Amino acid sequence: MLFHSVLAYMKSQSISDFYLYTDTSCNFGFYEHQGMVRQQQYKHLVNMKGQKGELEFYLYDMAV
């Protein structure tokens, strides 16, 4: 509901497209389900609280 409210607001402001930057620590599949297109992805090794791991970062775009 919030996502669609933002799209409606952008449309009312004549915003024609937008970009979203996210990573694998969230539900990035939600954006794909909403019709956003993944344009880039980047893997990065991280060290959080002594734990090593890998995150993937994603750049999405969408026409409003």
Side-chain angles (χ1 to χ4, degrees):
M1 189 182 214
L2 178 61
F3 185 82
H4 292 286
S5 294
V6 169
L7 290 179
Y9 173 77
M10 286 191 285
K11 193 175 275 191
S12 75
Q13 298 298 307
S14 300
I15 297 171
S16 60
D17 56 286
F18 69 100
Y19 296 91
L20 177 102
Y21 188 69
T22 191
D23 60 53
T24 52
S25 69
C26 74
N27 182 10
F28 60 90
F30 169 81
Y31 302 113
E32 294 172 2
H33 183 71
Q34 298 302 317
M36 297 193 75
V37 178
R38 186 184 307 175
Q39 297 298 336
Q40 296 286 325
Q41 63 186 57
Y42 172 75
K43 289 184 182 182
H44 184 71
L45 297 175
V46 294
N47 187 349
M48 295 185 287
K49 298 182 181 179
Q51 299 266 348
K52 292 185 179 181
E54 182 178 272
L55 280 176
E56 279 192 68
F57 295 89
Y58 305 124
L59 177 67
Y60 288 93
D61 74 348
M62 182 176 195
V64 178

